[in-house]
């Protein structure tokens, strides 16, 4: 079962919301609601219109993972909404890696030199994944001024794509 990674938009909003809220609320007990994430109900305007992107990973037509990119300056962008269903995590499927590789390829093709992300300490496996992919933890005050900080985030990382 090889995952298919494709750009997705508003027509997948209900599947995206189900996937992400289940992971956030039920698996990790993060006190966040759909009202806190209006971007999920208008992916086209929130992600694509500013030069960003949103991808989904599908196995047998089931949405099993997501990753999104918000471009917040000419050469800088933030990773958002990186989620993979529990039963599809790990090396067997490598969905997280394929999603991240797709996003990095897009950045390289679109002159995005710096990638940033914010997450929360409870997502330790995610942090280890990013560190394996050469992201470096940084302090919040080292973020670019225009970085879109989410209120729940308390750990921040940076990846320099262009040397």
């Amino acid at each position: 079962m090889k995952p298919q990674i494709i750009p997705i938009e508003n027509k997948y909003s209900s599947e995206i919301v189900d996937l992400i809220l289940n992971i956030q609320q039920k698996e990790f007990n993060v006190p966040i609601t759909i009202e806190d994430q209006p971007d999920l109900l208008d992916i086209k305007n929130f992600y694509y219109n500013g030069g960003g992107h949103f991808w989904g990973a599908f196995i047998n037509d089931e949405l099993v993972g997501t990753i999104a990119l918000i471009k917040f300056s000419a050469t800088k962008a933030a990773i958002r909404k990186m989620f993979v269903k529990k039963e599809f995590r790990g090396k067997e499927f490598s969905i997280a890696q394929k999603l991240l590789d797709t996003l990095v390829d897009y950045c390289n093709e679109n002159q995005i030199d710096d990638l940033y992300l914010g997450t929360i300490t409870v997502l330790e496996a995610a942090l280890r994944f990013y560190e394996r992919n050469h992201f470096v933890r940084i302090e919040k005050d080292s973020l670019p001024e225009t970085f879109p900080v989410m209120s729940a985030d308390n750990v921040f990382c940076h990846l320099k794509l262009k040397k």
Side-chain angles (χ1 to χ4, degrees):
M1 288 192 296
K2 190 173 186 286
Q4 181 189 14
I5 312 286
I6 60 167
I8 56 176
E9 285 188 30
N10 294 346
K11 75 175 190 169
Y12 291 98
S13 280
S14 62
E15 292 101 317
I16 293 166
V17 169
D18 287 347
L19 173 84
I20 291 174
L21 282 181
N22 271 313
I23 293 169
Q24 290 172 326
Q25 295 173 346
K26 295 184 177 141
E27 191 175 343
F28 291 100
N29 297 312
V30 177
I32 193 167
T33 66
I34 187 59
E35 288 76 21
D36 299 318
Q37 307 172 85
D39 55 301
L40 295 179
L41 300 174
D42 195 4
I43 288 162
K44 190 166 177 38
N45 282 323
F46 194 85
Y47 292 97
Y48 287 90
N49 285 355
H53 221 76
F54 203 108
W55 293 269
F58 292 83
I59 291 183
N60 297 334
D61 296 327
E62 176 189 0
L63 181 66
V64 298
T66 61
I67 194 169
L69 183 80
I70 296 176
K71 194 170 173 189
F72 63 87
S73 88
T75 61
K76 294 175 175 53
I79 295 178
R80 283 281 175 79
K81 307 305 178 192
M82 168 67 128
F83 291 98
V84 177
K85 267 191 181 171
K86 192 175 196 170
E87 54 272 33
F88 293 97
R89 290 182 198 147
K91 288 192 178 11
E92 180 187 352
F93 296 101
S94 295
I95 289 170
Q97 190 63 57
K98 288 176 175 129
L99 284 164
L100 182 61
D101 291 347
T102 299
L103 182 141
V104 168
D105 289 346
Y106 177 86
C107 289
N108 288 327
E109 292 162 11
N110 290 278
Q111 292 76 51
I112 295 169
D113 300 339
D114 291 280
L115 265 179
Y116 294 87
L117 65 93
T119 188
I120 53 176
T121 45
V122 71
L123 302 178
E124 292 165 18
L127 279 163
R128 286 193 304 273
F129 167 78
Y130 289 122
E131 287 170 347
R132 279 196 310 275
N133 280 279
H134 312 292
F135 280 81
V136 177
R137 289 189 197 205
I138 60 171
E139 293 301 316
K140 185 176 184 179
D141 60 13
S142 299
L143 290 166
E145 278 185 32
T146 51
F147 177 83
V149 176
M150 299 278 294
S151 59
D153 291 346
N154 62 5
V155 182
F156 302 92
C157 299
H158 172 239
L159 175 66
K160 185 94 181 129
L161 294 172
K162 298 264 171 31
K163 301 292 181 237

